[in-house]
Amino acid sequence: MTQKAVRAGYENGTGYLFILPWIIGFTAFTLIPFVALFYFAFTDYDLLSSPGWVGLDNFIRMFTVDEKFLTSLKVTFFYVLTAIPLRLIFALFIAMLLNMKIRFVGLYRTAFYIPSIIGGSVAVAVMWGQLFGLNGAVNGIIGLFTGTSPNTSWIANPDTALWTLILMAVWQFGSPMIIFLAGLKNIPDSYYEAAVVDGANGFHRFVKITLPLLTPVILFNLVMQIIGGFMTFTQGLIITSGGPLDRTLFYQLYVYRQGFEFLDMGYAAALSCFLLLIVAVLTALVFKSSSAWVHYESKG
């Protein structure tokens, strides 16, 4: 073996040594649980005894017997299809305002980003439940303007409970807002100046310049928000506990209940596998459709 080969092997070994903590963490906390998920999906496992192989029984139960599976799926799809577009639209609107040259813009950016930092915490979920409760601040504010405080709890009403959680999701617009703002900063001012010279108004500049050049950022935000939307859990558990009448029974909450409340980890694993399939298919469809609406400057 030549000295050059020995040196190359030493350098490679040093590199692997530096990334060894990541390799160990990835293997122990991602790869092994991921493989175990597919194994447990085909077993009857209660966390207390050894798993027993049952084949496709968990999936057959999912599609033919379990009504709450369909309920949680409908709730989650409605939440994703409603909350994600509203959040992205609002985030883009605020990002465009913060892209303007105004005083204290840095302070505004920080203030608008804070809800995304703390929004997923248990404390915020408890606070949100108090705001929309029977004696919450929302009813108090309505009472100030109408003279009569509504005698209803927004989170306990089957018609409004899910909408309170959708409103919370829209409130947590900070992360996509920051990404939109970065995209807006990358659009050259010369494009807008040329459009103004040609007589384009604000709406035309937004439709013809801002949106097309922002579509790669929109694609990224859309994919990340779809994945995050299907992972919604804390709000449904802390604020409404899946109620009332299962109107806020998110898919992830249902998986949690099956696995850790009913100790049916095999069925919970099967539910998780199906969720993985849903997210993968939706993500693939978004990427497939991106060729028709995403504009890259490098491609003309």
Side-chain angles (χ1 to χ4, degrees):
M1 182 178 295
T2 64
Q3 185 177 1
K4 185 177 180 180
V6 172
R7 184 176 179 180
Y10 175 77
E11 292 177 351
N12 290 338
T14 303
Y16 284 119
L17 183 63
F18 275 107
I19 66 172
L20 185 61
W22 180 87
I23 293 177
I24 294 175
F26 174 79
T27 303
F29 300 109
T30 302
L31 183 60
I32 293 177
F34 187 75
V35 174
L37 171 70
F38 289 97
Y39 169 71
F40 289 134
F42 297 94
T43 65
D44 180 14
Y45 182 39
D46 60 4
L47 294 176
L48 302 177
S49 57
S50 299
W53 187 264
V54 294
L56 296 175
D57 286 0
N58 288 327
F59 295 95
I60 295 173
R61 169 188 169 188
M62 186 190 310
F63 293 113
T64 61
V65 178
D66 192 356
E67 294 182 358
K68 287 199 173 185
F69 159 72
L70 293 177
T71 300
S72 64
L73 203 59
K74 291 177 182 178
V75 169
T76 306
F77 264 100
F78 181 82
Y79 175 83
V80 170
L81 294 176
T82 306
I84 300 309
L86 292 176
R87 178 192 285 179
L88 292 180
I89 291 171
F90 192 63
L92 178 57
F93 173 72
I94 298 298
M96 293 187 67
L97 293 180
L98 296 180
N99 194 41
M100 301 169 62
K101 295 179 180 180
I102 55 178
R103 296 183 62 186
F104 308 114
V105 66
L107 178 63
Y108 295 142
R109 292 171 184 171
T110 303
F112 284 129
Y113 185 66
I114 288 177
S116 288
I117 300 177
I118 65 174
S121 66
V122 174
V124 171
V126 173
M127 178 270 293
W128 202 264
Q130 293 294 327
L131 285 175
F132 288 90
L134 179 61
N135 299 314
V138 173
N139 282 347
I141 294 173
I142 295 175
L144 288 177
F145 287 97
T146 63
T148 304
S149 180
N151 188 27
T152 182
S153 172
W154 300 93
I155 60 173
N157 189 327
D159 296 327
T160 59
L162 185 56
W163 285 103
T164 62
L165 303 187
I166 291 173
L167 182 61
M168 184 178 184
V170 176
W171 175 68
Q172 299 167 348
F173 64 91
S175 293
M177 177 202 70
I178 290 296
I179 297 173
F180 278 137
L181 187 59
L184 291 171
K185 292 292 185 183
N186 285 328
I187 301 177
D189 291 336
S190 58
Y191 291 179
Y192 295 107
E193 294 169 358
V196 170
V197 171
D198 290 339
N201 57 31
F203 175 77
H204 288 140
R205 294 197 298 271
F206 175 74
V207 173
K208 299 296 184 180
I209 299 176
T210 304
L211 275 184
L213 295 181
L214 210 59
T215 47
V217 179
I218 295 175
L219 173 64
F220 175 81
N221 267 335
L222 180 60
V223 171
M224 298 304 296
Q225 294 302 315
I226 287 175
I227 296 173
F230 277 99
M231 299 295 291
T232 302
F233 168 74
T234 305
Q235 298 91 319
L237 176 66
I238 302 299
I239 300 177
T240 59
S241 190
L245 303 177
D246 294 333
R247 294 296 179 89
T248 60
L249 182 62
F250 293 112
Y251 196 93
Q252 279 289 79
L253 176 58
Y254 187 54
V255 172
Y256 166 80
R257 285 182 173 176
Q258 289 294 330
F260 295 100
E261 291 185 9
F262 305 141
L263 298 182
D264 196 350
M265 188 60 69
Y267 187 56
L271 290 169
S272 298
C273 287
F274 187 69
L275 177 62
L276 176 63
L277 177 63
I278 292 174
V279 174
V281 170
L282 288 178
T283 303
L285 290 175
V286 171
F287 276 108
K288 184 68 175 178
S289 67
S290 65
S291 59
W293 59 273
V294 178
H295 170 79
Y296 295 100
E297 287 188 275
S298 59
K299 295 183 179 181

